[in-house]
Amino acid sequence: MSFVWLYSFGSNIGLTDIEISGTLDNYKRATDWLYLEIFLKSFGVAALVTAICLVVGFPVAMALTFVSEKWRPWLLLGIMLPFWTNLLIRTYALMIMLGTQGYANRTLGWFWESASWAKTLVGLQPLPTWEPVQLLYNNFAVVIGLVYVHLPFMVLPLYSALDRLDKSLIEASLDLGAGHLRTLLKVVVPLAMPGVIAGVMITLIPALGAYLTPDLMGGTESQMIANVIERQFKRANDWPFGAALSFLLIYAMFILIALQSLRKKNAGETR
């Protein structure tokens, strides 16, 4: 990391040599709108992925918390199972699912043909011939892939927080007339907030630096900042600029962690 940091203050000399001159030109170049736009897009995609993981992961964590002791280990095993398989293999498997001839398109085609058959049965004009939907090589595929990869990182902290929850508080809320939705929003969510914040951080930061999923499942308009960094090192042979982009990403992650630490410190002082 120290060598990469030093490279960010250097410049190319010839084809293979790098001179560490202390220049800030690489960081100045990184502030061009072209790269700022990619940074902002990466933050937006990471934030969207984190939000989807939170919405999907919270009910899953709730189910894990309130399920019987007999089934809980098996459900936790189901959450952990993807970690036992290489990320590259899981990504290719998801690409097979979302391809034009994949299972997702086959299922959609079956529903389409069933609806067309039903219309014909009642004497209506049948639907046009089914055309496969382009589910791969776009922003949709990148978001789906990142959600699939990072969902366990959200579920596990949420489950850890909810498992320590005093369930008598939920019973008291329901007994005092609060409905299930109000109990969830006013009692469960505030008490589980440490797990929510931890899950957001653990999901947001890796999603921000994701490389493999956008590279394999995204198109030319779906590249994130990690893909730009990879091109600087492997194709453009501009290691100093790639190092500057890398450390700008690291600085952004440090800022997120610092803000979280300050929030926890202020919350502790308030209590």
Side-chain angles (χ1 to χ4, degrees):
M1 295 290 288
S2 299
F3 280 121
V4 175
W5 182 72
L6 288 174
Y7 280 170
S8 69
F9 299 100
S11 55
N12 285 330
I13 303 296
L15 294 176
T16 58
D17 295 330
I18 297 175
E19 179 186 13
I20 309 300
S21 58
T23 180
L24 295 176
D25 290 344
N26 297 307
Y27 288 98
K28 292 178 182 178
R29 180 182 169 193
T31 60
D32 291 345
W33 176 245
L34 172 65
Y35 300 105
L36 287 178
E37 188 177 17
I38 297 175
F39 265 111
L40 292 174
K41 179 184 177 180
S42 300
F43 271 105
V45 170
L48 177 60
V49 168
T50 303
I52 295 174
C53 286
L54 180 59
V55 171
V56 175
F58 202 94
V60 175
M62 287 280 292
L64 287 171
T65 302
F66 292 99
V67 77
S68 65
E69 294 291 338
K70 175 183 177 182
W71 290 104
R72 186 177 301 173
W74 295 104
L75 294 177
L76 281 172
L77 177 64
I79 298 296
M80 297 293 295
L81 199 60
F83 291 120
W84 298 1
T85 307
N86 184 273
L87 175 59
L88 182 62
I89 297 175
R90 285 186 282 149
T91 303
Y92 276 122
L94 191 59
M95 291 173 68
I96 293 173
M97 293 285 294
L98 298 178
T100 53
Q101 300 299 322
Y103 294 106
N105 263 304
R106 290 183 186 181
T107 302
L108 292 173
W110 181 83
F111 280 114
W112 184 273
E113 295 299 333
S114 298
S116 180
W117 177 81
K119 291 188 69 175
T120 304
L121 186 65
V122 297
L124 300 176
Q125 187 70 22
L127 296 172
T129 304
W130 165 257
E131 293 292 338
V133 181
Q134 182 63 39
L135 300 176
L136 270 180
Y137 310 120
N138 49 38
N139 292 323
F140 170 80
V142 172
V143 171
I144 292 297
L146 291 176
V147 167
Y148 168 68
V149 170
H150 294 93
L151 185 58
F153 293 105
M154 179 66 75
V155 172
L156 294 176
L158 289 174
Y159 166 70
S160 178
L162 291 171
D163 192 48
R164 296 193 298 267
L165 190 67
D166 186 356
K167 296 179 178 60
S168 63
L169 297 175
I170 299 176
E171 296 174 359
S173 175
L174 294 173
D175 290 341
L176 291 173
H180 287 85
L181 180 60
R182 190 174 182 184
T183 300
L184 176 66
L185 297 177
K186 298 293 186 180
V187 178
V188 176
V189 172
L191 292 176
M193 192 55 63
V196 171
I197 295 173
V200 167
M201 296 296 294
I202 294 173
T203 305
L204 178 65
I205 291 176
L208 182 59
Y211 160 73
L212 183 64
T213 302
D215 188 59
L216 293 179
M217 301 183 66
T220 56
E221 301 297 325
S222 306
Q223 301 297 289
M224 296 175 63
I225 189 61
N227 305 105
V228 177
I229 294 171
E230 180 266 348
R231 285 199 295 270
Q232 300 305 316
F233 279 97
K234 295 182 65 176
R235 304 179 193 179
N237 196 33
D238 194 350
W239 288 30
F241 183 55
L245 290 175
S246 300
F247 266 86
L248 283 176
L249 185 60
I250 293 173
Y251 297 151
M253 294 178 180
F254 281 165
I255 291 172
L256 291 174
I257 296 172
L259 291 175
Q260 163 63 5
S261 300
L262 287 174
R263 190 206 66 82
K264 290 178 65 176
K265 180 181 179 181
N266 293 334
E269 292 175 351
T270 302
R271 287 196 294 269

